[in-house]
Amino acid sequence: MEESLEYYDKALKINPDNKFALNNKGYTLILLEKYEESIPLLNKAISVDKKFSYSYNNRGLAKIKLNLCEEGRKDIEDSLKLDSQNADAYKNLGIYHMKKMEYQEAMDLFLKAKKMDGSLTGIDTLINKLKLKMEVNHTLDT
């Protein structure tokens, strides 16, 4: 991932307004758990193209990871308004609901995302993690 950051930097030196390089570098920073660093890049990608749904989605995930949950949810919903077929956005909206302990909503979104894209990165892990949380919650309730 560190090497990919170098390539994004090279692309941005050639064209500082390359929305794909901005978005992908921002997403790579999210994967590296550098959420604060990702947001300015995603902001710039959005300023370059207000209809670039991926950057809204990625910025939403970064905000959720920073506990700016409602701002993050809004970004993901804005992303889905622009592209309702983005399985990753449904996954990230599920992460929002999981963080809010709204487990059934999260599961519904994870399953929708998986149905849309069975190879979606991390979806099986999230579903399994959520199943465990739901089982623990059910056990505590009984």
Side-chain angles (χ1 to χ4, degrees):
M1 281 193 269
E2 295 295 336
E3 186 178 353
S4 65
L5 291 175
E6 292 174 26
Y7 285 107
Y8 297 134
D9 286 338
K10 288 178 184 179
L12 291 168
K13 279 186 181 174
I14 295 167
N15 177 4
D17 290 334
N18 181 328
K19 69 181 181 183
F20 299 105
L22 290 163
N23 179 70
N24 292 348
K25 183 177 180 185
Y27 181 68
T28 301
L29 289 169
I30 290 170
L31 294 176
L32 293 169
E33 299 181 3
K34 297 180 179 181
Y35 310 115
E36 294 94 348
E37 290 179 47
S38 72
I39 290 176
L41 292 161
L42 298 166
N43 287 344
K44 183 163 184 190
I46 291 167
S47 75
V48 169
D49 182 354
K50 299 264 189 254
K51 295 185 178 188
F52 193 44
S53 67
Y54 295 101
S55 293
Y56 287 97
N57 179 45
N58 291 332
R59 186 175 72 178
L61 178 60
K63 288 178 178 179
I64 289 167
K65 295 291 188 173
L66 291 169
N67 290 317
L68 302 169
C69 293
E70 297 312 314
E71 288 180 38
R73 179 188 52 79
K74 183 183 180 317
D75 276 347
I76 294 167
E77 288 173 349
D78 288 345
S79 171
L80 286 167
K81 287 177 190 169
L82 295 167
D83 178 7
S84 65
Q85 299 306 306
N86 183 348
D88 199 52
Y90 289 105
K91 177 183 87 173
N92 291 343
L93 195 54
I95 291 170
Y96 161 84
H97 284 287
M98 191 164 88
K99 192 167 186 119
K100 302 293 276 183
M101 298 190 319
E102 299 165 350
Y103 297 142
Q104 191 56 57
E105 292 91 336
M107 184 61 79
D108 293 345
L109 288 160
F110 290 158
L111 293 174
K112 180 175 185 162
K114 183 176 173 81
K115 184 176 181 182
M116 292 173 80
D117 180 357
S119 65
L120 188 61
T121 305
I123 193 66
D124 290 326
T125 302
L126 285 166
I127 289 170
N128 290 331
K129 184 177 177 182
L130 184 55
K131 282 180 181 175
L132 289 173
K133 286 182 179 282
M134 291 172 88
E135 287 173 16
V136 168
N137 241 27
H138 179 72
T139 304
L140 293 174
D141 288 344
T142 56

